[in-house]
């Protein structure tokens, strides 16, 4: 059984696992609160033969030291990977999954490799993927010893009648699907070993303040006008075992106005709540135009459309690249002057 309860005044929640229909709770979350970066997709009817596009994020969080440049490079690589697939005719789902795998494999980000440790010193990860055309979704939560949780989430969507598998059940399903188990040490960075020594309360105050909170995500639209999104996270340092955030819960309806409105509502609703949450949103509309908004010091983002790639971290930052093919037909990025 799964149960959830929410205080509408403070927006505090508690849950044993997740709700049966994640779309219902996700819509509430989108309209009233954002506890972390989430990707939102438009359910409006999309035109055919549209120009494909993809947008990714690496977390609405302050990136200290050289992590800013690593975050810039990581999101650029992820968007470039997904866009190459889209212009080669692959689906939005495939592009989103591939882009998030790039981010999960990069220790700069809080997902896959680079996930923080629980209070028991383990790694528990959450991920979700959704097909905007059918609204089919697949998600995993509190899964261990898996290199790419987004791949397992896609398997839940494609190979089961369920929308979310949690903990031991998610790992059992991974074994059935032949997903290799990897040692948790392969997912732990030295930085996260140091953070592990902090208290749970301190982790909440630091990671959820205006400095932000880490997740990764992607939204894409393919040539057929189909939209897909995905999100992946390792959660927060010293979280309780079994803690599941809102990242693996699917949501819908996003335009630039909706993205800004969602964050404005979050700021207003949580002004007197027990934590001051910073957050950001990415999305893509039916016309394929990427949108993003954030209320933190920084957010790592990148998007590609019309053979151009843009990325940034700081407010107002917008680096641009032109995508070309070389003599061998390979796609290359050239930074614009």
């Amino acid at each position: 059984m799964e149960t959830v309860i929410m205080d509408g005044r403070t927006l505090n929640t508690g849950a044993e696992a997740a709700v049966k229909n994640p779309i219902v709770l996700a819509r509430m979350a989108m309209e009233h609160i954002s506890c972390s970066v989430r990707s939102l997709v438009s359910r409006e009817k999309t035109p055919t033969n549209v120009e494909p596009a993809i947008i990714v994020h690496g977390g609405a969080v302050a990136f200290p030291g050289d992590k800013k440049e690593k975050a810039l490079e990581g999101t650029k690589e992820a968007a470039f990977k997904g866009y190459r697939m889209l212009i080669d005719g692959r689906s939005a789902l495939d592009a989103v999954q591939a882009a998030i795998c790039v981010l999960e494999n990069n220790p700069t980000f809080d997902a896959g490799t680079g996930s923080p440790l629980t209070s028991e010193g383990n790694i528990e990860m959450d991920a979700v993927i959704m097909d905007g055309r059918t609204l089919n979704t697949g998600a995993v939560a509190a899964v261990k010893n898996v290199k790419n949780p987004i791949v397992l989430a896609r398997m839940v969507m494609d190979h089961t009648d369920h929308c979310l598998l949690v903990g031991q059940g998610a790992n059992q399903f991974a074994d059935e699907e032949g997903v290799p188990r990897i040692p948790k040490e392969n997912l732990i960075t030295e930085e996260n070993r140091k953070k592990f020594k902090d208290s749970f309360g301190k982790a909440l105050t630091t990671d959820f303040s205006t400095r932000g909170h880490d997740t990764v995500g992607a939204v894409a639209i393919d040539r057929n006008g189909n939209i897909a999104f995905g999100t992946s996270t390792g959660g927060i340092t010293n979280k309780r075992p079994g803690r599941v955030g809102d990242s693996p819960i699917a949501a819908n309806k996003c335009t630039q106005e909706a993205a800004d409105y969602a964050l404005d509502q979050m700021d207003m609703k949580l002004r007197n709540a027990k934590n001051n949450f910073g957050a950001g949103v990415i999305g893509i509309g039916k016309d394929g135009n990427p949108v993003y908004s954030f209320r933190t010091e920084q957010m790592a983002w990148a998007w590609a459309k019309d053979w151009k790639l843009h990325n940034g971290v700081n407010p107002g930052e917008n680096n641009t690249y032109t995508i070309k093919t070389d003599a061998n037909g390979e796609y290359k990025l050239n930074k614009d002057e």
Side-chain angles (χ1 to χ4, degrees):
M1 296 176 63
E2 299 89 15
T3 57
V4 62
I5 190 168
M6 172 182 279
D7 184 335
R9 180 179 61 84
T10 65
L11 298 184
N12 295 334
T13 63
E16 290 180 327
V19 294
K20 179 69 174 177
N21 185 349
I23 298 298
V24 175
L25 183 58
R27 184 165 184 177
M28 290 176 59
M30 184 204 72
E31 293 177 348
H32 301 297
I33 180 174
S34 178
C35 296
S36 63
V37 176
R38 61 159 57 79
S39 307
L40 309 173
V41 300
S42 169
R43 290 181 59 187
E44 300 177 36
K45 184 178 180 181
T46 54
T48 57
N49 300 318
V50 300
E51 185 66 30
I54 187 169
I55 182 168
V56 307
H57 75 78
V61 64
F63 293 93
D66 64 350
K67 288 193 72 173
K68 175 184 179 291
E69 292 303 318
K70 292 179 179 179
L72 271 173
E73 187 64 27
T75 50
K76 180 180 73 174
E77 180 186 355
F80 189 36
K81 172 70 172 180
Y83 188 68
R84 294 198 308 268
M85 298 179 70
L86 291 170
I87 57 181
D88 282 340
R90 299 286 292 278
S91 72
L93 278 169
D94 290 342
V96 163
Q97 178 179 314
I100 292 180
C101 279
V102 171
L103 298 169
E104 287 178 335
N105 293 340
N106 189 324
T108 303
F109 305 113
D110 174 0
T113 304
S115 294
L117 282 72
T118 70
S119 59
E120 292 183 348
N122 293 315
I123 298 289
E124 295 183 359
M125 301 164 288
D126 309 335
V128 63
I129 194 166
M130 184 176 190
D131 184 342
R133 178 177 59 87
T134 64
L135 295 187
N136 291 336
T137 185
V140 292
V143 67
K144 301 177 181 178
N145 304 102
V146 172
K147 183 174 178 62
N148 294 113
I150 193 66
V151 174
L152 188 59
R154 176 76 180 273
M155 291 176 174
V156 172
M157 183 179 72
D158 290 344
H159 301 163
T160 79
D161 295 325
H162 306 302
C163 59
L164 174 63
L165 295 178
V166 180
Q168 182 179 349
N171 276 109
Q172 179 180 337
F173 175 69
D175 292 340
E176 293 170 0
E177 291 293 307
V179 177
R181 290 207 181 198
I182 62 172
K184 68 178 182 182
E185 287 74 20
N186 292 11
L187 301 171
I188 300 174
T189 64
E190 186 58 35
E191 178 183 0
N192 284 329
R193 290 186 189 277
K194 294 178 181 178
K195 287 183 178 180
F196 178 54
K197 298 178 181 180
D198 294 337
S199 70
F200 181 72
K202 184 178 180 181
L204 276 175
T205 301
T206 299
D207 291 342
F208 279 34
S209 69
T210 54
R211 290 180 61 84
H213 179 52
D214 287 359
T215 60
V216 303
V219 189
I221 186 168
D222 58 34
R223 293 194 184 279
N224 295 319
N226 298 329
I227 296 178
F229 91 89
T231 299
S232 182
T233 184
I236 54 177
T237 301
N238 278 327
K239 64 183 180 182
R240 286 180 176 272
R243 179 263 185 187
V244 178
D246 65 344
S247 292
I249 307 301
N252 62 3
K253 196 177 79 173
C254 184
T255 63
Q256 183 67 62
E257 182 180 357
D260 292 337
Y261 177 79
L263 293 184
D264 289 342
Q265 290 297 302
M266 175 205 72
D267 289 340
M268 180 177 66
K269 292 288 184 180
L270 291 177
R271 192 168 295 138
N272 296 317
K274 65 180 181 181
N275 290 302
N276 178 25
F277 289 86
V281 176
I282 65 171
I284 207 160
K286 64 180 181 179
D287 55 2
N289 288 329
V291 297
Y292 65 92
S293 185
F294 58 97
R295 299 289 189 272
T296 49
E297 293 179 25
Q298 297 176 322
M299 183 174 83
W301 59 269
W303 63 265
K305 184 185 178 185
D306 294 324
W307 297 83
K308 288 283 189 177
L309 188 147
H310 303 252
N311 75 336
V313 170
N314 294 316
E317 182 177 8
N318 186 4
N319 307 298
T320 62
Y321 301 80
T322 298
I323 302 169
K324 297 181 177 180
T325 55
D326 62 17
N328 297 320
E330 297 291 328
Y331 298 112
K332 301 295 182 181
L333 277 178
N334 297 316
K335 189 170 185 178
D336 298 344
E337 297 297 332

